[in-house]
Amino acid sequence: MRHPRTSRAAEALAAAALLALTAACGSRLPESDFEHDDRPSATARDAGEPIRVGIVASATSPVGGGAFTGPRDGATAWFDRLNARGGIDGRRVEVRQCDDGGSGAGNNECVHRLVDEEKVVALVATTALDYAGAPRVSRAGVPDIGGQPIGAAYDTYPHLYGVYGSDAPRNGTPGWDGRLYGGTEVYRYFKREHGARTAAVVSYNQSASASYARLVERGLRAEGYKVVTEQVDFALPNFRAVAADLKQQGADLVFDAIDGHGNARLCRAMDDVGARVTAKVTNVQNWTSTVAEDYKDAPHCRNALWATGSSRNFEDTGHPAVRAFRDATEGLETHSQWQLEGWAAARWFTDAARSCARTGITRACVDASVNRARDYTAGGLLLPVSFARSPEPPATSRTCLSVARWRDGEGWVSQGDMNRTCFEVPQLAYEP
């Protein structure tokens, strides 16, 4: 029986492209700076001794404060609740955090401190703009569980387990011979469920933005859409002209490869010129509770916002696993899908560690437990996640997705069952 895949490759590329718009590239420290014994060490062998885990987040990255903290906040909330309830087999989980500053050098320093000095048994919910330390994490045999695949690391190295899973060989080369694959399920969804036929793709005249926009255009054309391309100047974008053309072209959908601030300005321009669309589609990174504030000047466009992803809507409090997340995070000022995914990552580590409690919660045992994962869902929070390595890249795949729509007064409203919103779609190759 073939299991449905999650919608993860396009999300990863979207995040990487959009974050690259404002972030500077960090340097990498030479490996000689960290020369010492890389052998995995058992952590917290003695009964009652805390189990130490690490969380790396680019909390102070050039992208701006808060852009990368959602998964960290969700994971720490899980561990706080877990410890209040007795921990794992009576042992407290001790969380060590490290802010890498969004640079490769900072990331290497975090990896060195957490893996080599503090001897964490695992990393959880990694959210790094430049995951330069990934090769060292892999060589040390430290399981990195439920990280956000902003770059290609989670499709490149063994012992790294992205929150959306991976079928790639993970033998040191990204994907299959340097190529990753993403499906067209998002475009199929809007075509089948909402009759969309004309789609616009808005990008900046900047390389990362333009590259992602081209991938979206390919996917839309593969699904038979008429595609309208709009490019604006990164420094001086004329969003009003774009909005006017969207109206004239009769676009049903708008996809973008621009940053959050640009999206808000585009939406305002669309409202100003009367451009009405079936959906203004965004990704999991922008699936947050701050929509009303972020898009306060664009009520029509705001209520046409749709988000797609691979995890259950954080507003779906009718589901017990979501309700537990919301109860534990009620003190947070805002909520987001990335927070929920960080919570799911911490739960994943906990499930793996519990399976090792009898024989010893070591790096090797936790790694083996996660590596064996087949259709893991974190209690229904994630679409089924697996790490079965495929020697050949997929040509097509049955792929599922989570869909939500913003409604003033209601927030993000789930659109159907994510485990049944599935499509057999082509997988398109791209280079990370």
Side-chain angles (χ1 to χ4, degrees):
M1 176 181 178
R2 222 166 30 126
H3 296 287
R5 287 163 51 92
T6 58
S7 168
R8 41 92 31 224
E11 290 174 12
L13 188 61
L18 301 187
L19 294 170
L21 299 176
T22 53
C25 295
S27 60
R28 288 173 168 80
L29 293 180
E31 289 297 326
S32 58
D33 289 356
F34 302 124
E35 289 298 333
H36 50 72
D37 188 357
D38 281 335
R39 291 175 296 175
S41 61
T43 303
R45 290 182 183 274
D46 298 329
E49 185 179 347
I51 303 164
R52 189 173 296 169
V53 301
I55 299 178
V56 179
S58 300
T60 57
S61 75
V63 177
F68 287 87
T69 56
R72 178 202 69 187
D73 294 344
T76 55
W78 168 272
F79 288 127
D80 286 345
R81 192 190 72 154
L82 179 70
N83 287 333
R85 297 182 176 184
I88 300 173
D89 198 31
R91 294 165 59 185
R92 179 176 175 273
V93 175
E94 183 178 280
V95 178
R96 298 297 178 92
Q97 298 183 29
C98 191
D99 174 11
D100 67 10
S103 74
N107 188 265
N108 265 322
E109 290 169 1
C110 280
V111 167
H112 172 54
R113 177 163 72 83
L114 295 175
V115 170
D116 303 319
E117 295 180 353
E118 303 199 17
K119 306 295 184 182
V120 298
V121 72
L123 298 178
V124 178
T126 300
T127 313
L129 178 60
D130 184 353
Y131 199 176
R136 189 166 196 85
V137 173
S138 179
R139 285 197 302 272
V142 176
D144 177 344
I145 302 169
Q148 289 292 336
I150 294 166
Y154 292 96
D155 285 304
T156 302
Y157 300 106
H159 310 295
L160 273 60
Y161 304 98
V163 71
Y164 308 133
S166 175
D167 293 340
R170 292 185 295 136
N171 56 10
T173 300
W176 291 263
D177 297 323
R179 309 189 87 187
L180 301 180
Y181 290 76
T184 61
E185 59 279 353
V186 173
Y187 321 126
R188 180 76 59 86
Y189 170 82
F190 285 102
K191 182 179 180 181
R192 191 187 77 175
E193 300 296 325
H194 300 283
R197 293 293 182 271
T198 301
V201 184
V202 183
S203 65
Y204 289 126
N205 60 342
Q206 188 269 354
S207 60
S209 176
S211 176
Y212 175 60
R214 286 192 294 271
L215 180 64
V216 174
E217 292 163 23
R218 283 178 57 207
L220 288 164
R221 289 195 171 95
E223 290 295 332
Y225 281 85
K226 173 187 174 184
V227 181
V228 177
T229 59
E230 305 280 357
Q231 191 171 85
V232 295
D233 186 85
F234 183 43
L236 297 170
N238 186 347
F239 288 116
R240 190 177 182 88
V242 169
D245 194 50
L246 295 179
K247 180 180 180 181
Q248 182 178 354
Q249 297 280 357
D252 301 312
L253 308 177
V254 177
F255 294 87
D256 70 85
I258 61 179
D259 60 331
H261 178 65
N263 263 301
R265 293 177 64 190
L266 173 61
C267 264
R268 181 175 180 178
M270 290 171 63
D271 270 26
D272 287 346
V273 303
R276 305 289 185 258
V277 297
T278 300
K280 169 72 179 67
V281 188
T282 189
N283 57 53
V284 67
Q285 192 189 1
N286 298 314
W287 193 338
T288 73
S289 63
T290 62
V291 168
E293 179 183 352
D294 297 341
Y295 295 85
K296 61 183 178 181
D297 297 322
H300 291 287
C301 182
R302 181 174 69 236
N303 282 279
L305 285 175
W306 293 65
T308 64
S310 299
S311 52
R312 192 174 297 277
N313 182 6
F314 72 86
E315 302 262 33
D316 187 7
T317 54
H319 191 281
V322 177
R323 188 164 59 252
F325 160 72
R326 293 299 296 267
D327 288 347
T329 58
E330 63 179 351
L332 296 179
E333 292 184 4
T334 63
H335 285 93
S336 72
Q337 204 64 17
W338 263 15
Q339 289 171 356
L340 178 139
E341 291 181 353
W343 171 277
R347 175 171 179 162
W348 196 346
F349 165 79
T350 302
D351 288 343
R354 280 176 171 154
S355 74
C356 296
R358 187 175 60 83
T359 58
I361 301 173
T362 65
R363 291 174 174 178
C365 184
V366 172
D367 179 76
S369 177
V370 178
N371 193 49
R372 289 193 301 268
R374 295 295 181 271
D375 300 329
Y376 182 80
T377 68
L381 293 176
L382 304 174
L383 284 166
V385 180
S386 298
F387 296 96
R389 303 184 184 192
S390 174
E392 300 294 331
T396 64
S397 181
R398 179 170 169 77
T399 310
C400 302
L401 71 159
S402 175
V403 185
R405 180 180 184 178
W406 177 268
R407 288 294 196 187
D408 286 348
E410 300 179 71
W412 289 103
V413 180
S414 298
Q415 306 294 304
D417 182 347
M418 69 177 187
N419 291 295
R420 296 183 179 181
T421 307
C422 306
F423 308 90
E424 186 77 27
V425 294
Q427 299 291 306
L428 305 180
Y430 66 93
E431 295 183 1

